Amino acid sequence: MRVRRITGAVAAIVGSALVLTACGSGGGSDDKTSTPAAPTTSTGIVTNWGGEPQNALIPTNTNEVQGGKVLDLVFAGLMYYDKDGKPHNEMAKSVESTDSKTWTVTIKPDQEFSDGTPVLAKNFVDAWNYGALLSNAQLSSYFFESIEGYSAEKDSELTGLKVVDDHTFTVTLKQPEADFPLRLGYSAYFPLPDSAFADMDAFGKSPIGNGPYVLESWDHNRKIELRPSAKYTGDRKARNGGIDIVLYDSLDAAYADLTSGQLDILDQVPDTQYATYTSDLPDTTVNQPGAVFQSFTIPQKLAHFEGEEGKLRREAISLAINRDEITDKIFQATRTPAKDFTSPVIAGWSDKIDGHDVLSYDPDKAKELWAKADEMSPWSGTFTIGYNSDGGHQAWVDAVSNSVKNVLGIDAQGKPYPAFKDLRDDVTNRTIKGAFRSGWQADYPSSYNFLGPLYGTGAGSNDGDYTNPEVDQLLKDGLAAKSVDEANAAFTKVQEILFVDLPAIPLWYQNSVGAWGPEVKHVTFGWNSVPLLYEVTKN
């Protein structure tokens, strides 16, 4: 990723008395401290690349990029993040605490859902309670773990949520957590209208939100049409006539449409075009740091990967991967070999954490460790890495598989799935029979967000089912810290353990490498590699 920069968001944590008051949108497009305001508005429909979301569009049940992109446009949270990752109040007028344990949230008055019903404190409280209930089986229920009353073992109301009046509610946490407000721009914390609870499945197919756009139609596997909401009054006001998210089954097809004028914005340039994309699209490309971490996960209960044998094999596989060669030859300066489990654009990142040498290419040691594991239980079969063919991953999966195969002398290969949803369904249902691609795009700018949701016991995105009590305790200690430095010290200890256990194999950090056509203006890619589509203009 890099000319490295630290985002401003985490600097908002100022100890045990953190107060966020209403923020306005800033001035021109180069303003670094607030969301830039495009100088004009337009009526053209902007076309943007996308993929079929895994699930119906319910905020607490969406933990993947494609569905998240739509939710972030259709809904508005208490906060939003600008292009640099700095938080700004959106639905919230203020989020205040004197002890970092009990927070008072005040909602701005006169906010509405797209159906005209008001956005009230109860819409947040009801939505969070729904997301936290075990029986509702929401993928993002883990995000409510810090609130009093949450249980991962049985249905339990969030007793820490209290509606004070129409525009005020309180949140009582299990322990003081100074960075709690920083999370509130993530989709798990979005509000829901009363009508959602009559039939949540039906709601997810045609959600009623409170954000800058309304979902007009969803033609599955083809296109999602979003149009500006007349009810939204926040800083992210749509500056175009709408967004059509075109659902592709390959990045190469999307790139062909972009260069022929049939697509306006492509979030990811396919690796097949890295040598030519800047000349194909002069002055309309981006290659900048982003909060994206790429890895693959080996399930904890996969044959030959449990216990001490599993630790030896995980380390051997990691040491067998030539990350420098792969990022150089395949990605051509659009990736950087990983040195940790987070991202260099996040406060607390370090390339000197104890144990990070397991990410270095060392074929001799890899062979030695694999042989020790074979003494415990001889290897048989094929090592596979599952990936989605519509995401442009085949080249690197083949390269990693070949690196493992050549060093360890075993059969290793990629296992392609036609679409992102197909891979995710197999992973979510725990029916996948091998390793699988497990990259992470940050939900909010914090080291914890790269660690807790992925490696905490029972966490919603802990798809490998990793569990370690010491890691769980350190994650809690970090959340309870009174300063960013103290929190990151705990998270560094978490990573030291992860380098031993290797629940996922870190590969590299991913740049925002995108492109757009000449018909659109004011295209900005945000801190998390997603374009700020509401800012784009098209005549």
Side-chain angles (χ1 to χ4, degrees), residues 284-364:
T284 59
T285 63
V286 64
N287 182 0
Q288 69 183 33
V292 181
F293 165 84
Q294 186 66 256
S295 64
F296 64 86
T297 294
I298 305 172
Q300 294 293 305
K301 294 184 179 180
L302 194 65
H304 294 291
F305 286 96
E306 296 184 77
E308 188 60 31
E309 179 194 355
K311 283 188 176 182
L312 290 169
R313 295 200 188 278
R314 291 167 193 273
E315 184 177 357
I317 286 173
S318 183
L319 294 168
I321 300 169
N322 193 333
R323 294 166 179 80
D324 290 324
E325 182 176 76
I326 293 171
T327 53
D328 179 53
K329 291 187 176 180
I330 292 179
F331 293 120
Q332 300 185 43
T334 65
R335 307 288 190 277
T336 302
K339 300 297 183 183
D340 82 328
F341 286 80
T342 68
S343 162
V345 303
I346 299 298
W349 176 84
S350 173
D351 60 356
K352 297 179 174 61
I353 296 174
D354 288 349
H356 79 277
D357 53 345
V358 74
L359 305 182
S360 301
Y361 181 56
D362 190 339
D364 291 337

Side-chain angles (χ1 to χ4, degrees), residues 119-288:
V119 178
L120 303 175
K122 71 181 297 291
N123 296 114
F124 286 93
V125 170
D126 290 348
W128 297 9
N129 267 311
Y130 178 87
L133 282 180
L134 186 66
S135 59
N136 289 330
Q138 299 294 282
L139 292 172
S140 292
S141 63
Y142 180 79
F143 282 89
F144 305 104
E145 183 188 43
S146 296
I147 300 175
E148 282 189 354
Y150 175 87
S151 174
E153 298 176 354
K154 62 180 181 179
D155 271 359
S156 178
E157 183 180 357
L158 295 176
T159 55
L161 296 181
K162 302 292 184 184
V163 175
V164 177
D165 57 40
D166 280 351
H167 298 101
T168 311
F169 69 99
T170 59
V171 185
T172 301
L173 307 180
K174 296 176 180 177
Q175 63 179 8
E177 295 181 3
D179 79 337
F180 176 71
L182 185 60
R183 308 167 209 167
L184 298 180
Y186 180 51
S187 58
Y189 300 103
F190 288 163
L192 291 174
D194 293 344
S195 60
F197 301 96
D199 188 338
M200 193 63 75
D201 289 337
F203 176 84
K205 296 172 183 176
S206 185
I208 296 169
N210 61 321
Y213 293 87
V214 296
L215 192 151
E216 186 166 287
S217 69
W218 181 358
D219 187 357
H220 292 276
N221 298 301
R222 293 189 61 192
K223 184 168 63 174
I224 294 174
E225 295 183 339
L226 307 175
R227 297 296 179 263
S229 172
K231 303 297 184 180
Y232 178 78
T233 61
D235 293 344
R236 297 186 299 136
K237 193 74 175 176
R239 299 186 177 109
N240 47 59
I243 306 292
D244 282 357
I245 299 178
V246 185
L247 310 178
Y248 287 89
D249 58 11
S250 85
L251 281 175
D252 286 303
Y255 187 83
D257 277 0
L258 177 67
T259 54
S260 64
Q262 302 302 306
L263 181 70
D264 290 323
I265 304 174
L266 179 59
D267 298 23
Q268 303 176 46
V269 172
D271 55 66
T272 55
Q273 305 298 329
Y274 284 156
T276 62
Y277 78 99
T278 55
S279 57
D280 289 344
L281 298 153
D283 303 319
T284 59
T285 63
V286 64
N287 182 0
Q288 69 183 33

Side-chain angles (χ1 to χ4, degrees), residues 423-488:
L423 171 64
R424 288 302 309 168
D425 284 347
D426 225 1
V427 171
T428 301
N429 296 328
R430 303 301 192 261
T431 52
I432 197 162
K433 302 301 182 184
F436 54 89
R437 182 184 78 82
S438 53
W440 186 253
Q441 178 175 302
D443 305 310
Y444 58 92
S446 164
S447 293
Y448 176 82
N449 185 240
F450 282 86
L451 302 174
L454 292 167
Y455 310 115
T457 299
S461 296
N462 185 347
D463 294 324
D465 297 319
Y466 173 71
T467 181
N468 186 313
E470 188 176 358
V471 166
D472 294 340
Q473 185 59 54
L474 285 167
L475 289 171
K476 291 181 180 179
D477 293 345
L479 286 176
K482 295 181 179 180
S483 70
V484 176
D485 289 342
E486 184 180 331
N488 286 331

